[in-house]
Amino acid sequence: LQVEEHQKQGILDPVMKTAQILIVGDEILSGRTVDTNSHYLAKELFARGIRVRRIEVVPDDIVAIAQWVHHRHGLSDIVFVCGGIGGTPDDVTREAVARGVAIPIERNQEALKRLTKYYAGRKVELNADRMRMADMPVGCTLIDNSVTTAPGFKIKNIYVMAGIPEVMHAMFDAIKEELKGTPVFESEINLQVGEGEIARHMIRINDEFPDVELGSYPTLDPKRGYKTQLVFKAATQDRLKAAVDRFDLLMKKNL
Amino acid sequence: LQVEEHQKQGILDPVMKTAQILIVGDEILSGRTVDTNSHYLAKELFARGIRVRRIEVVPDDIVAIAQWVHHRHGLSDIVFVCGGIGGTPDDVTREAVARGVAIPIERNQEALKRLTKYYAGRKVELNADRMRMADMPVGCTLIDNSVTTAPGFKIKNIYVMAGIPEVMHAMFDAIKEELKGTPVFESEINLQVGEGEIARHMIRINDEFPDVELGSYPTLDPKRGYKTQLVFKAATQDRLKAAVDRFDLLMKKNL
């Protein structure tokens, strides 16, 4: 096994852009909180023609985050980091990302201006801890936060966003227009049989349509019967239809 | 930055056992399916005194899985791999885990016996694809599956289980008695203030109680007000209480 991290060359990878997601948070690893951000991003990105290749959850640990960013940010077109950008001592993501790309931190003046205005309007003191939320890598671009003001940022190909889902969604809304990939075509077939009935047909489709991705997802229905969802993905509608039609024929003739 | 993967030495790591979770599935990365398995495991393990240090989601890719297992299985006490153990061509987890620990695959006779009996009872053919579900690393221990029979397995410190949640839960039930860590004590305080109000108190607690872990989790309530949940963790009830009492005092005196 090679020492380098392996990135799967999926059939549609040359067509779609790729992304990775880092979720930061002890509370997710201890089972206290359910991470909904990675699913939200995966779904939104796939719809935009950007394919997520990895999702990882790490603790609120500056070295763990910095190393992940350092090793991984070059391995896909876009990277998202969610969580740990608040103003308490366990919020280390800003500094960790900066370390991961070897860029110094500075107090971002535009971010500070926004925080100053926001807290003045609420008659709350902008104390030293809150001011830390404006500490960001030199040269980053701010990501607007329409919910609680404290901005996220983009540095290199890395979008750094909040962990609170409502805030993360607002930040995603602020950047989504610039996230342009190449959407692929998808079709699903729902079968009332187990996977074992159709595996041989899948092998044939894989052989005959090397440009079509095929996945099978079994579920158990309430009566504990088998159900299988087959998902076809292709770069063109024509190839998608050809593969689905071929599969239908194999099923009908029970080849 | 060092090239090796970093494992955080959390305050309570020497007390608790550690675990990592690998979730296998293209369908999660494309946002089609929500992964509930990692949360289920994280919660169950934490309650048993086992701390999850990493969760990663990778595609149905034999090399990606094998490399993850190869590099990571030595970095924690226990490893869980969920998904990709069915009988279709995209189910590559069995072979990938075997490769990751450099142990050959064989047709496990006990697993085959169980599958034979199960399919005979349902008058379904145990075809070549279904038989693949009995291919496992030499020397593994089976993990019972009370739902759909096809077993998971344990090899070295790695538990390999199904991706279908109902089946994974049944497999977890079959192994949970052997999962014994050291549960720690936890206490939470729910505050109606933002994190910025309490960051300085947290810094003092961190200084004064180096053996107590402290996390702060902000949420937005329906009226968009701030709420913060503080979570204290300690190896003994006494130390937990001392830290919580000290925090209460700091809040009251507004030090």
Side-chain angles (χ1 to χ4, degrees), chain B residues 38-89:
Chain B
S38 62
H39 176 68
Y40 179 92
L41 285 174
K43 200 167 174 163
E44 291 284 338
L45 293 170
F46 191 81
R48 286 171 175 76
I50 299 165
R51 169 154 237 179
V52 175
R53 303 313 296 164
R54 297 265 179 159
I55 298 167
E56 188 156 1
V57 186
V58 297
D60 303 288
D61 174 48
I62 195 161
V63 182
I65 302 165
Q67 288 197 332
W68 191 95
V69 168
H70 177 70
H71 293 303
R72 295 286 185 85
H73 82 277
L75 298 175
S76 60
D77 297 305
I78 313 174
V79 169
F80 295 87
V81 180
C82 296
I85 63 168
T88 57

Side-chain angles (χ1 to χ4, degrees), chain A residues 8 53 55 216-218, chain B residues 21-29 33 35 37-38 55-66 68-69 80-86 90-94 96-97 159-164:
Chain A
K8 183 189 185 186
R53 303 314 295 164
I55 299 167
S216 98
Y217 307 110
Chain B
I21 299 170
L22 182 67
I23 302 292
V24 176
D26 282 346
E27 72 277 22
I28 293 154
L29 296 170
T33 305
D35 157 46
N37 288 338
S38 62
I55 298 167
E56 188 156 1
V57 186
V58 297
D60 303 288
D61 174 48
I62 195 161
V63 182
I65 302 165
W68 191 95
V69 168
F80 295 87
V81 180
C82 296
I85 63 168
D90 54 342
D91 288 308
V92 297
T93 298
R94 284 178 305 267
V97 171
Y159 292 90
V160 179
M161 305 197 289
I164 302 179

Side-chain angles (χ1 to χ4, degrees), chain A:
Chain A
L1 289 166
Q2 294 167 272
V3 173
E4 312 89 68
E5 284 289 335
H6 171 82
Q7 289 289 105
K8 183 189 185 186
Q9 184 68 5
I11 290 167
L12 294 171
D13 278 4
V15 177
M16 302 178 82
K17 278 193 183 172
T18 60
Q20 296 168 92
I21 299 170
L22 181 68
I23 302 292
V24 176
D26 281 347
E27 71 278 21
I28 293 154
L29 295 170
S30 70
R32 174 172 285 275
T33 305
V34 177
D35 157 46
T36 60
N37 288 338
S38 63
H39 176 69
Y40 179 92
L41 284 174
K43 200 168 174 160
E44 291 284 339
L45 292 170
F46 190 81
R48 286 172 175 76
I50 300 166
R51 170 153 237 181
V52 175
R53 303 314 295 164
R54 298 263 180 161
I55 299 167
E56 189 156 358
V57 187
V58 296
D60 303 289
D61 173 48
I62 195 162
V63 183
I65 302 164
Q67 288 197 332
W68 191 95
V69 168
H70 177 69
H71 293 302
R72 295 286 185 83
H73 83 278
L75 298 175
S76 61
D77 296 304
I78 313 174
V79 168
F80 296 87
V81 179
C82 296
I85 62 168
T88 57
D90 55 343
D91 289 307
V92 296
T93 298
R94 285 178 305 267
E95 189 180 337
V97 170
R99 277 201 209 179
V101 293
I103 292 176
I105 282 271
E106 66 175 355
R107 186 140 296 177
N108 185 293
Q109 291 307 307
E110 172 58 23
L112 186 63
K113 210 171 99 187
R114 293 185 193 182
L115 290 170
T116 304
K117 193 176 162 196
Y118 176 71
Y119 286 107
R122 297 166 64 101
K123 300 193 191 321
V124 167
E125 185 203 355
L126 180 59
N127 59 24
D129 300 308
R130 293 194 171 103
M131 265 189 237
R132 277 185 63 232
M133 293 192 283
D135 291 348
M136 294 172 178
V138 172
C140 71
T141 311
L142 297 187
I143 301 175
D144 294 343
N145 167 0
S146 61
V147 181
T148 54
T149 300
F153 62 87
K154 183 189 182 193
I155 186 78
K156 297 196 172 185
N157 63 338
I158 307 159
Y159 292 90
V160 179
M161 306 197 289
I164 302 178
E166 298 91 325
V167 179
M168 195 280 279
H169 299 174
M171 288 183 175
F172 188 81
D173 284 342
I175 59 166
K176 67 185 180 191
E177 291 307 317
E178 64 192 77
L179 301 173
K180 290 197 178 71
T182 308
V184 297
F185 297 89
E186 251 192 318
S187 186
E188 62 184 60
I189 300 181
N190 291 290
L191 300 162
Q192 301 290 333
V193 296
E195 289 188 314
E197 261 349 288
I198 54 161
R200 68 191 182 284
H201 303 325
M202 291 178 67
I203 293 167
R204 285 186 74 153
I205 296 290
N206 284 345
D207 285 347
E208 295 175 19
F209 296 85
D211 56 334
V212 175
E213 279 193 19
L214 182 53
S216 98
Y217 307 110
T219 47
L220 293 169
D221 81 7
K223 292 164 299 179
R224 293 202 162 168
Y226 283 105
K227 279 166 56 173
T228 303
Q229 182 178 66
L230 272 185
V231 179
F232 296 72
K233 296 194 186 93
T236 69
Q237 192 73 60
D238 284 354
R239 291 299 288 166
L240 184 67
K241 189 172 178 311
V244 171
D245 288 350
R246 177 65 175 149
F247 183 85
D248 281 341
L249 188 71
L250 291 172
M251 284 290 286
K252 267 186 209 130
K253 296 206 170 172
N254 195 21
L255 292 174

Side-chain angles (χ1 to χ4, degrees), chain B residues 110-127:
Chain B
E110 171 59 23
L112 186 63
K113 210 170 100 185
R114 294 185 194 183
L115 291 170
T116 304
K117 192 176 162 197
Y118 176 71
Y119 285 108
R122 297 167 65 101
K123 300 195 190 318
V124 167
E125 186 203 354
L126 179 59
N127 60 23

